[in-house]
Amino acid sequence: MKRLITLFAAMVLLLPLQAAKKAKTVQQSDREYWCSLAYKMAQPVLENMAKGELQKNMKTEFSPSFDNRDRSVVYMETFGRLMAGIVPWLTLPDDGTPEGQQRKQLREWALQSYKNAVDPASPDYLCWGKAGQNLVDAAYIAESFLRGWDTFWVPLDEVTKQRYIKEFQKLRKIDPPYTNWYLFSSTIESLIAKATDRKEYDEFRVNITIRKVEEWYMGDGWYADGPVFAFDYYSSYVFHAMYLETLQAMVDAKVNSRLDYQKYYDRALKRAQKFAIILERFISPEGTFPVIGRSIPYRTAAMQTLALIAWYQKLPAELSNGQVRAALTKVHHRMFDFQQNFNDAGYLTIGFCGSQPEVADWYTNNGSLYLTSLSFMPLGLPADHPFWTDAPQPWTQVKAWGGQSFPKDHRWADDIHTRDKW
Protein backbone atom coordinates (compact mmCIF):
# COMPACT_ATOMS: atom_id res chain seq x y z
CA MET A 1 0.00 0.00 0.00
CA LYS A 2 2.81 2.41 0.92
CA ARG A 3 4.44 1.73 -2.45
CA LEU A 4 1.18 2.48 -4.28
CA ILE A 5 0.75 5.76 -2.38
CA THR A 6 4.32 6.78 -3.25
CA LEU A 7 3.75 5.93 -6.92
CA PHE A 8 0.48 7.91 -6.93
CA ALA A 9 2.21 10.91 -5.36
CA ALA A 10 4.93 10.80 -7.97
CA MET A 11 2.31 10.72 -10.72
CA VAL A 12 0.53 13.72 -9.20
CA LEU A 13 3.80 15.66 -9.12
CA LEU A 14 4.38 14.88 -12.78
CA LEU A 15 0.93 16.07 -13.88
CA PRO A 16 1.69 19.83 -13.71
CA LEU A 17 4.89 19.28 -15.69
CA GLN A 18 3.08 17.26 -18.32
CA ALA A 19 0.30 19.82 -18.49
CA ALA A 20 2.81 22.64 -18.90
CA LYS A 21 4.59 20.74 -21.65
CA LYS A 22 1.27 20.05 -23.38
CA ALA A 23 0.25 23.71 -23.10
CA LYS A 24 3.54 24.82 -24.58
CA THR A 25 3.05 22.43 -27.50
CA VAL A 26 -0.52 23.61 -28.10
CA GLN A 27 0.57 27.25 -28.29
CA GLN A 28 2.86 26.59 -31.24
CA SER A 29 1.20 25.83 -34.57
CA ASP A 30 2.68 23.34 -37.01
CA ARG A 31 3.97 26.16 -39.20
CA GLU A 32 5.49 28.00 -36.23
CA TYR A 33 7.28 24.81 -35.27
CA TRP A 34 8.63 24.26 -38.80
CA CYS A 35 9.78 27.89 -39.00
CA SER A 36 11.55 27.73 -35.66
CA LEU A 37 13.39 24.58 -36.71
CA ALA A 38 14.35 25.99 -40.12
CA TYR A 39 15.61 29.21 -38.54
CA LYS A 40 17.59 27.32 -35.92
CA MET A 41 19.31 25.35 -38.67
CA ALA A 42 19.96 28.31 -40.97
CA GLN A 43 20.89 31.15 -38.63
CA PRO A 44 24.42 30.09 -37.57
CA VAL A 45 25.36 29.31 -41.17
CA LEU A 46 24.00 32.40 -42.91
CA GLU A 47 24.76 34.96 -40.22
CA ASN A 48 28.40 33.89 -40.17
CA MET A 49 28.75 33.51 -43.94
CA ALA A 50 27.21 36.93 -44.59
CA LYS A 51 30.02 38.39 -42.48
CA GLY A 52 32.65 36.21 -44.16
CA GLU A 53 33.15 34.24 -40.95
CA LEU A 54 31.65 30.80 -41.63
CA GLN A 55 35.01 29.16 -42.27
CA LYS A 56 36.38 30.88 -39.19
CA ASN A 57 33.58 29.98 -36.79
CA MET A 58 31.86 26.80 -37.95
CA LYS A 59 32.44 23.85 -35.63
CA THR A 60 33.08 21.07 -38.13
CA GLU A 61 32.96 17.30 -37.84
CA PHE A 62 34.17 14.60 -40.21
CA SER A 63 33.41 10.93 -40.62
CA PRO A 64 35.79 8.60 -38.78
CA SER A 65 36.51 7.08 -42.21
CA PHE A 66 36.71 10.40 -44.10
CA ASP A 67 38.89 10.15 -47.19
CA ASN A 68 41.84 12.36 -48.16
CA ARG A 69 39.91 15.05 -50.07
CA ASP A 70 40.34 18.73 -49.19
CA ARG A 71 38.37 19.21 -45.98
CA SER A 72 37.28 22.71 -46.97
CA VAL A 73 34.50 21.03 -48.99
CA VAL A 74 32.52 21.11 -45.74
CA TYR A 75 31.64 24.78 -46.22
CA MET A 76 30.30 24.42 -49.75
CA GLU A 77 28.28 21.41 -48.64
CA THR A 78 26.84 23.35 -45.72
CA PHE A 79 25.85 26.40 -47.74
CA GLY A 80 24.60 24.74 -50.92
CA ARG A 81 22.54 22.07 -49.23
CA LEU A 82 21.02 24.44 -46.70
CA MET A 83 19.97 26.92 -49.39
CA ALA A 84 18.41 24.21 -51.56
CA GLY A 85 16.05 23.44 -48.69
CA ILE A 86 15.14 26.86 -47.29
CA VAL A 87 15.00 28.94 -50.49
CA PRO A 88 11.29 28.20 -51.11
CA TRP A 89 10.49 29.67 -47.68
CA LEU A 90 12.65 32.75 -48.23
CA THR A 91 10.93 33.57 -51.52
CA LEU A 92 7.70 34.53 -49.72
CA PRO A 93 7.05 38.29 -49.57
CA ASP A 94 7.88 40.30 -46.48
CA ASP A 95 5.22 40.91 -43.86
CA GLY A 96 5.10 42.20 -40.32
CA THR A 97 4.85 38.82 -38.61
CA PRO A 98 7.67 37.37 -36.49
CA GLU A 99 8.08 34.73 -39.19
CA GLY A 100 8.30 37.43 -41.86
CA GLN A 101 11.02 39.20 -39.91
CA GLN A 102 13.01 35.98 -39.67
CA ARG A 103 12.60 35.36 -43.40
CA LYS A 104 13.73 38.88 -44.24
CA GLN A 105 16.82 38.56 -42.07
CA LEU A 106 17.74 35.16 -43.51
CA ARG A 107 17.17 36.44 -47.06
CA GLU A 108 19.50 39.41 -46.51
CA TRP A 109 22.17 37.15 -45.05
CA ALA A 110 21.70 34.67 -47.89
CA LEU A 111 22.11 37.27 -50.64
CA GLN A 112 25.38 38.44 -49.11
CA SER A 113 26.47 34.83 -48.61
CA TYR A 114 25.85 34.07 -52.29
CA LYS A 115 28.17 36.96 -53.17
CA ASN A 116 30.86 35.88 -50.71
CA ALA A 117 30.73 32.31 -52.04
CA VAL A 118 32.27 33.36 -55.39
CA ASP A 119 34.28 36.40 -54.33
CA PRO A 120 37.99 35.46 -54.24
CA ALA A 121 38.59 38.35 -51.83
CA SER A 122 36.12 36.97 -49.26
CA PRO A 123 37.31 34.70 -46.42
CA ASP A 124 34.24 32.60 -47.28
CA TYR A 125 35.08 32.12 -50.94
CA LEU A 126 34.19 28.46 -51.41
CA CYS A 127 36.57 25.72 -52.52
CA TRP A 128 35.53 25.71 -56.17
CA GLY A 129 37.36 23.06 -58.18
CA LYS A 130 39.48 21.62 -55.38
CA ALA A 131 37.74 18.23 -55.29
CA GLY A 132 35.30 16.14 -57.29
CA GLN A 133 32.85 16.70 -54.45
CA ASN A 134 32.49 20.31 -55.62
CA LEU A 135 30.35 19.12 -58.53
CA VAL A 136 27.78 17.78 -56.07
CA ASP A 137 27.44 20.88 -53.96
CA ALA A 138 27.72 23.35 -56.80
CA ALA A 139 24.65 21.53 -58.12
CA TYR A 140 22.78 22.21 -54.89
CA ILE A 141 23.71 25.89 -55.19
CA ALA A 142 22.44 25.85 -58.79
CA GLU A 143 19.30 24.07 -57.58
CA SER A 144 18.73 26.79 -54.98
CA PHE A 145 18.86 29.41 -57.74
CA LEU A 146 16.34 27.45 -59.80
CA ARG A 147 14.03 27.24 -56.77
CA GLY A 148 14.38 30.92 -55.95
CA TRP A 149 15.09 32.46 -59.36
CA ASP A 150 13.43 35.86 -58.91
CA THR A 151 14.48 36.23 -55.29
CA PHE A 152 18.09 35.08 -55.39
CA TRP A 153 19.42 34.89 -58.97
CA VAL A 154 17.82 37.93 -60.59
CA PRO A 155 18.88 40.45 -57.87
CA LEU A 156 22.56 39.45 -58.00
CA ASP A 157 24.89 42.01 -59.56
CA GLU A 158 26.37 41.14 -62.95
CA VAL A 159 29.86 40.55 -61.56
CA THR A 160 28.54 37.92 -59.15
CA LYS A 161 26.42 36.28 -61.84
CA GLN A 162 29.39 35.99 -64.18
CA ARG A 163 31.52 34.58 -61.38
CA TYR A 164 28.95 31.84 -60.83
CA ILE A 165 28.74 31.01 -64.53
CA LYS A 166 32.52 30.72 -64.77
CA GLU A 167 32.82 28.63 -61.60
CA PHE A 168 30.04 26.32 -62.82
CA GLN A 169 31.69 25.92 -66.22
CA LYS A 170 35.07 25.08 -64.68
CA LEU A 171 33.47 22.05 -63.06
CA ARG A 172 33.13 20.41 -66.47
CA LYS A 173 36.62 19.06 -65.91
CA ILE A 174 35.14 16.71 -63.29
CA ASP A 175 34.15 13.37 -64.79
CA PRO A 176 31.08 12.26 -62.82
CA PRO A 177 30.78 8.61 -61.77
CA TYR A 178 28.13 6.58 -63.58
CA THR A 179 25.47 7.26 -60.94
CA ASN A 180 23.14 9.99 -59.71
CA TRP A 181 26.11 12.35 -60.21
CA TYR A 182 25.00 12.81 -63.82
CA LEU A 183 22.13 14.88 -62.44
CA PHE A 184 24.56 17.25 -60.75
CA SER A 185 26.01 18.07 -64.15
CA SER A 186 22.59 18.45 -65.76
CA THR A 187 21.28 20.70 -62.97
CA ILE A 188 24.25 23.03 -63.37
CA GLU A 189 24.09 23.07 -67.17
CA SER A 190 20.33 23.69 -67.23
CA LEU A 191 20.86 26.61 -64.85
CA ILE A 192 23.49 27.99 -67.24
CA ALA A 193 21.08 27.54 -70.17
CA LYS A 194 18.43 29.56 -68.34
CA ALA A 195 20.86 32.22 -67.10
CA THR A 196 22.66 32.81 -70.41
CA ASP A 197 19.74 32.60 -72.83
CA ARG A 198 20.99 29.23 -74.11
CA LYS A 199 24.38 30.63 -75.09
CA GLU A 200 26.89 29.01 -72.75
CA TYR A 201 25.54 25.65 -71.61
CA ASP A 202 26.55 22.14 -72.66
CA GLU A 203 23.52 20.48 -74.25
CA PHE A 204 25.14 17.06 -74.35
CA ARG A 205 25.60 16.96 -70.56
CA VAL A 206 21.91 17.64 -70.14
CA ASN A 207 20.57 15.25 -72.76
CA ILE A 208 22.83 12.32 -71.91
CA THR A 209 21.70 12.65 -68.28
CA ILE A 210 18.06 12.55 -69.33
CA ARG A 211 18.64 9.44 -71.45
CA LYS A 212 20.52 7.71 -68.64
CA VAL A 213 17.96 8.57 -65.98
CA GLU A 214 15.29 7.08 -68.23
CA GLU A 215 17.36 3.91 -68.58
CA TRP A 216 17.70 3.73 -64.80
CA TYR A 217 13.99 4.08 -64.05
CA MET A 218 12.83 0.88 -62.33
CA GLY A 219 9.12 1.56 -62.03
CA ASP A 220 6.68 2.63 -59.29
CA GLY A 221 8.66 5.79 -58.64
CA TRP A 222 12.04 4.15 -58.01
CA TYR A 223 15.26 4.95 -59.84
CA ALA A 224 18.38 2.80 -59.76
CA ASP A 225 21.50 4.71 -58.74
CA GLY A 226 23.23 3.94 -62.02
CA PRO A 227 23.04 0.52 -63.71
CA VAL A 228 22.50 -1.33 -60.41
CA PHE A 229 19.52 -0.83 -58.11
CA ALA A 230 20.21 -0.01 -54.47
CA PHE A 231 17.47 0.09 -51.85
CA ASP A 232 18.19 3.54 -50.43
CA TYR A 233 16.81 7.06 -50.52
CA TYR A 234 18.73 8.40 -53.52
CA SER A 235 15.49 8.48 -55.52
CA SER A 236 14.50 11.14 -52.98
CA TYR A 237 17.86 12.75 -52.17
CA VAL A 238 18.64 13.44 -55.84
CA PHE A 239 16.70 11.81 -58.66
CA HIS A 240 13.15 13.11 -58.58
CA ALA A 241 13.93 16.70 -57.64
CA MET A 242 16.95 17.32 -59.84
CA TYR A 243 15.42 15.50 -62.80
CA LEU A 244 12.27 17.62 -62.64
CA GLU A 245 14.31 20.80 -62.17
CA THR A 246 16.65 20.02 -65.06
CA LEU A 247 13.68 19.46 -67.36
CA GLN A 248 11.81 22.55 -66.14
CA ALA A 249 14.88 24.76 -66.59
CA MET A 250 15.26 23.52 -70.17
CA VAL A 251 11.60 24.36 -70.81
CA ASP A 252 12.06 27.78 -69.21
CA ALA A 253 15.16 28.41 -71.34
CA LYS A 254 13.15 27.49 -74.47
CA VAL A 255 15.80 25.04 -75.61
CA ASN A 256 14.91 23.21 -78.81
CA SER A 257 16.73 19.89 -79.05
CA ARG A 258 15.92 16.31 -80.00
CA LEU A 259 14.18 15.84 -76.67
CA ASP A 260 10.70 17.06 -75.84
CA TYR A 261 11.51 18.35 -72.37
CA GLN A 262 7.89 19.13 -71.49
CA LYS A 263 6.76 15.56 -72.15
CA TYR A 264 9.68 14.20 -70.16
CA TYR A 265 8.74 16.58 -67.34
CA ASP A 266 5.08 15.54 -67.34
CA ARG A 267 6.06 11.88 -67.09
CA ALA A 268 8.70 12.53 -64.40
CA LEU A 269 6.14 14.45 -62.35
CA LYS A 270 3.79 11.45 -62.32
CA ARG A 271 6.64 9.23 -61.17
CA ALA A 272 7.46 11.68 -58.40
CA GLN A 273 3.83 11.71 -57.30
CA LYS A 274 3.91 7.93 -56.99
CA PHE A 275 7.13 8.11 -54.98
CA ALA A 276 5.51 10.71 -52.72
CA ILE A 277 2.79 8.16 -52.00
CA ILE A 278 5.44 5.59 -51.09
CA LEU A 279 7.26 7.98 -48.77
CA GLU A 280 4.03 8.92 -47.00
CA ARG A 281 3.36 5.21 -46.45
CA PHE A 282 6.85 4.82 -44.97
CA ILE A 283 5.97 7.15 -42.09
CA SER A 284 4.92 5.15 -39.03
CA PRO A 285 2.25 6.30 -36.56
CA GLU A 286 5.13 7.38 -34.30
CA GLY A 287 6.74 9.55 -37.02
CA THR A 288 9.64 7.20 -37.77
CA PHE A 289 10.60 5.86 -41.18
CA PRO A 290 12.85 2.95 -42.27
CA VAL A 291 16.57 3.53 -41.76
CA ILE A 292 17.91 2.03 -44.99
CA GLY A 293 20.83 2.48 -47.35
CA ARG A 294 23.82 4.75 -47.37
CA SER A 295 23.85 8.48 -46.58
CA ILE A 296 21.31 7.99 -43.83
CA PRO A 297 22.78 10.94 -41.84
CA TYR A 298 20.93 13.17 -44.32
CA ARG A 299 18.03 12.60 -41.96
CA THR A 300 14.73 14.05 -43.21
CA ALA A 301 16.10 14.60 -46.73
CA ALA A 302 14.65 11.12 -47.27
CA MET A 303 11.29 12.91 -47.42
CA GLN A 304 12.37 15.41 -50.10
CA THR A 305 10.09 14.12 -52.86
CA LEU A 306 7.02 14.26 -50.62
CA ALA A 307 7.96 17.78 -49.51
CA LEU A 308 8.65 18.84 -53.10
CA ILE A 309 5.32 17.62 -54.46
CA ALA A 310 3.53 19.36 -51.57
CA TRP A 311 5.38 22.62 -52.38
CA TYR A 312 4.51 22.21 -56.06
CA GLN A 313 0.85 21.83 -54.99
CA LYS A 314 0.75 18.62 -57.04
CA LEU A 315 -0.15 16.08 -54.36
CA PRO A 316 -1.95 13.11 -55.94
CA ALA A 317 -5.55 12.37 -55.00
CA GLU A 318 -4.37 9.74 -52.52
CA LEU A 319 -2.70 12.40 -50.36
CA SER A 320 -4.41 15.36 -48.70
CA ASN A 321 -2.71 18.50 -47.45
CA GLY A 322 -3.81 17.77 -43.89
CA GLN A 323 -2.39 14.27 -43.78
CA VAL A 324 0.93 15.18 -45.42
CA ARG A 325 1.48 18.13 -43.08
CA ALA A 326 0.57 16.01 -40.07
CA ALA A 327 2.88 13.20 -41.15
CA LEU A 328 5.87 15.44 -41.88
CA THR A 329 5.33 17.41 -38.69
CA LYS A 330 5.38 14.16 -36.72
CA VAL A 331 8.63 13.17 -38.46
CA HIS A 332 10.25 16.50 -37.59
CA HIS A 333 9.17 16.26 -33.96
CA ARG A 334 10.43 12.68 -33.71
CA MET A 335 13.74 13.55 -35.35
CA PHE A 336 14.57 16.82 -33.61
CA ASP A 337 12.76 16.94 -30.26
CA PHE A 338 14.15 13.91 -28.49
CA GLN A 339 17.83 13.75 -29.46
CA GLN A 340 20.71 16.19 -29.68
CA ASN A 341 21.18 16.84 -33.39
CA PHE A 342 23.14 20.09 -32.99
CA ASN A 343 26.54 20.68 -31.44
CA ASP A 344 27.23 23.35 -28.83
CA ALA A 345 27.96 25.91 -31.57
CA GLY A 346 24.58 25.34 -33.20
CA TYR A 347 25.67 23.26 -36.20
CA LEU A 348 24.35 19.82 -37.13
CA THR A 349 26.13 16.77 -35.79
CA ILE A 350 26.88 13.56 -37.67
CA GLY A 351 24.20 10.98 -37.02
CA PHE A 352 20.69 10.01 -37.99
CA CYS A 353 18.68 10.86 -34.88
CA GLY A 354 21.24 12.36 -32.54
CA SER A 355 25.03 12.16 -32.53
CA GLN A 356 25.88 8.81 -34.13
CA PRO A 357 29.22 9.19 -35.97
CA GLU A 358 29.41 5.45 -36.61
CA VAL A 359 26.67 5.71 -39.27
CA ALA A 360 28.73 8.14 -41.37
CA ASP A 361 30.03 7.17 -44.80
CA TRP A 362 33.57 7.91 -45.98
CA TYR A 363 32.38 11.13 -47.66
CA THR A 364 30.30 12.45 -44.74
CA ASN A 365 31.00 15.64 -42.85
CA ASN A 366 28.55 17.72 -40.88
CA GLY A 367 28.11 20.05 -43.85
CA SER A 368 26.67 17.08 -45.74
CA LEU A 369 23.86 16.87 -43.21
CA TYR A 370 22.27 20.16 -44.21
CA LEU A 371 20.50 18.15 -46.89
CA THR A 372 17.95 17.54 -44.13
CA SER A 373 16.64 21.05 -44.86
CA LEU A 374 15.07 19.68 -48.05
CA SER A 375 12.09 18.52 -45.98
CA PHE A 376 11.23 22.19 -45.23
CA MET A 377 10.17 23.05 -48.79
CA PRO A 378 6.42 23.28 -47.99
CA LEU A 379 7.29 26.43 -46.00
CA GLY A 380 7.35 28.01 -49.46
CA LEU A 381 3.55 27.81 -49.37
CA PRO A 382 2.08 30.88 -47.61
CA ALA A 383 0.60 30.57 -44.14
CA ASP A 384 -2.96 30.81 -45.49
CA HIS A 385 -2.48 27.93 -47.95
CA PRO A 386 -4.60 24.80 -47.27
CA PHE A 387 -1.39 22.86 -46.58
CA TRP A 388 -1.16 24.88 -43.37
CA THR A 389 -4.80 25.71 -42.67
CA ASP A 390 -6.49 22.35 -43.31
CA ALA A 391 -7.18 20.30 -40.21
CA PRO A 392 -4.55 17.62 -39.51
CA GLN A 393 -5.61 14.21 -40.74
CA PRO A 394 -4.31 10.72 -39.97
CA TRP A 395 -1.80 9.47 -42.51
CA THR A 396 -1.84 6.03 -44.06
CA GLN A 397 -0.01 4.05 -41.37
CA VAL A 398 -2.08 5.68 -38.61
CA LYS A 399 -5.23 4.56 -40.39
CA ALA A 400 -3.94 1.10 -41.25
CA TRP A 401 -2.69 0.28 -37.74
CA GLY A 402 -5.67 1.97 -36.10
CA GLY A 403 -8.32 -0.16 -37.74
CA GLN A 404 -9.53 2.66 -40.00
CA SER A 405 -10.24 2.52 -43.71
CA PHE A 406 -7.27 3.40 -45.88
CA PRO A 407 -6.61 3.35 -49.64
CA LYS A 408 -5.02 0.31 -51.25
CA ASP A 409 -1.69 0.74 -52.96
CA HIS A 410 -1.19 -0.22 -56.58
CA ARG A 411 1.38 -0.05 -59.35
CA TRP A 412 1.66 3.13 -61.41
CA ALA A 413 2.68 2.56 -65.01
CA ASP A 414 4.01 5.25 -67.37
CA ASP A 415 1.32 6.49 -69.74
CA ILE A 416 3.34 9.23 -71.45
CA HIS A 417 5.67 8.16 -74.22
CA THR A 418 8.57 10.22 -75.55
CA ARG A 419 10.29 10.00 -78.91
CA ASP A 420 13.10 12.07 -80.29
CA LYS A 421 11.70 14.98 -82.27
CA TRP A 422 14.07 14.23 -85.16
Side-chain angles (χ1 to χ4, degrees):
M1 176 63 72
K2 183 177 180 181
R3 185 177 178 182
L4 286 173
I5 293 172
T6 302
L7 181 60
F8 178 77
M11 290 174 65
V12 170
L13 289 172
L14 282 173
L15 285 175
L17 295 174
Q18 292 172 341
K21 185 177 180 181
K22 183 176 181 181
K24 184 178 179 181
T25 302
V26 169
Q27 290 173 2
Q28 193 175 44
S29 70
D30 288 349
R31 185 177 178 89
E32 288 170 337
Y33 173 73
W34 284 48
C35 289
S36 66
L37 189 55
Y39 188 84
K40 178 180 181 179
M41 200 172 293
Q43 177 266 325
V45 176
L46 297 183
E47 183 176 9
N48 276 291
M49 192 165 177
K51 295 185 290 187
E53 296 180 352
L54 180 65
Q55 298 187 37
K56 172 186 173 185
N57 294 332
M58 182 177 177
K59 185 173 182 179
T60 60
E61 183 183 1
F62 296 85
S63 166
S65 59
F66 199 72
D67 64 8
N68 61 358
R69 74 186 69 185
D70 190 318
R71 292 196 169 204
S72 63
V73 297
V74 62
Y75 306 110
M76 180 179 276
E77 294 192 43
T78 301
F79 177 62
R81 297 174 185 220
L82 172 69
M83 292 310 299
I86 67 167
V87 153
W89 181 38
L90 303 188
T91 61
L92 293 179
D94 290 336
D95 56 49
T97 64
E99 175 196 333
Q101 293 170 5
Q102 286 187 329
R103 283 200 315 267
K104 182 178 180 180
Q105 179 64 85
L106 290 175
R107 187 186 312 117
E108 291 171 354
W109 285 336
L111 281 166
Q112 185 58 49
S113 297
Y114 276 121
K115 293 179 182 180
N116 290 343
V118 288
D119 182 358
S122 170
D124 277 339
Y125 174 66
L126 297 178
C127 63
W128 298 91
K130 288 187 178 181
Q133 180 66 33
N134 295 147
L135 178 64
V136 179
D137 297 296
Y140 282 108
I141 294 175
E143 182 178 51
S144 74
F145 284 136
L146 292 173
R147 290 177 176 177
W149 187 259
D150 292 331
T151 304
F152 289 106
W153 178 262
V154 173
L156 292 178
D157 60 88
E158 286 304 312
V159 170
T160 300
K161 288 179 180 177
Q162 286 305 310
R163 283 173 171 168
Y164 271 107
I165 297 300
K166 292 186 185 310
E167 295 289 9
F168 285 146
Q169 289 173 330
K170 288 177 184 176
L171 296 172
R172 291 171 182 164
K173 68 183 180 182
I174 298 172
D175 179 25
Y178 199 47
T179 64
N180 67 90
W181 278 50
Y182 272 41
L183 280 158
F184 302 138
S185 291
S186 72
T187 301
I188 290 170
E189 295 297 335
S190 64
L191 177 280
I192 296 173
K194 186 171 179 177
T196 65
D197 194 23
R198 307 181 301 279
K199 294 174 183 175
E200 300 180 43
Y201 81 107
D202 185 336
E203 185 175 284
F204 178 77
R205 289 174 187 267
V206 175
N207 286 359
I208 193 62
T209 297
I210 293 169
R211 295 188 190 281
K212 287 301 173 184
V213 169
E214 290 297 330
E215 289 177 11
W216 297 338
Y217 184 61
M218 305 298 293
D220 245 8
W222 290 92
Y223 288 96
D225 191 7
V228 178
F229 179 77
F231 189 47
D232 56 31
Y233 287 111
Y234 272 84
S235 288
S236 204
Y237 295 152
V238 180
F239 275 95
H240 284 291
M242 286 193 171
Y243 192 33
L244 285 168
E245 287 158 339
T246 292
L247 294 166
Q248 184 62 59
M250 298 301 280
V251 171
D252 293 346
K254 298 181 172 58
V255 173
N256 183 29
S257 79
R258 290 182 181 275
L259 305 186
D260 188 331
Y261 300 114
Q262 187 61 59
K263 279 191 175 181
Y264 278 95
Y265 179 91
D266 293 342
R267 183 168 64 190
L269 178 61
K270 288 190 173 184
R271 294 171 179 174
Q273 289 173 317
K274 170 59 179 178
F275 199 67
I277 290 172
I278 291 172
L279 290 176
E280 190 270 351
R281 286 175 175 258
F282 274 6
I283 300 172
S284 77
E286 297 76 30
T288 60
F289 57 87
V291 185
I292 55 169
R294 65 189 179 93
S295 298
I296 204 64
Y298 297 167
R299 293 179 168 94
T300 57
M303 294 292 130
Q304 177 180 203
T305 306
L306 180 58
L308 182 78
I309 296 302
W311 176 46
Y312 281 0
Q313 303 177 66
K314 296 291 185 181
L315 288 173
E318 291 86 342
L319 302 177
S320 70
N321 283 302
Q323 79 185 84
V324 173
R325 186 189 79 245
L328 288 176
T329 300
K330 188 72 170 181
V331 168
H332 285 132
H333 277 295
R334 183 61 187 85
M335 179 68 71
F336 291 101
D337 291 1
F338 298 99
Q339 303 294 342
Q340 181 51 258
N341 291 283
F342 297 87
N343 62 33
D344 56 11
Y347 298 94
L348 286 169
T349 60
I350 292 179
F352 174 71
C353 187
S355 177
Q356 300 155 307
E358 69 279 359
V359 303
D361 296 287
W362 49 268
Y363 46 80
T364 308
N365 58 69
N366 65 329
S368 314
L369 317 181
Y370 283 84
L371 216 62
T372 193
S373 69
L374 297 174
S375 64
F376 296 145
M377 281 187 286
L379 283 174
L381 299 171
D384 59 358
H385 188 275
F387 183 87
W388 299 108
T389 60
D390 282 1
Q393 296 176 1
W395 53 100
T396 302
Q397 297 298 334
V398 172
K399 294 176 182 176
W401 289 95
Q404 303 176 48
S405 296
F406 65 97
K408 294 185 294 183
D409 196 15
H410 59 89
R411 176 176 174 269
W412 281 30
D414 286 338
D415 58 0
I416 297 175
H417 302 286
T418 56
R419 296 177 180 85
D420 284 5
K421 291 189 290 185
W422 64 80

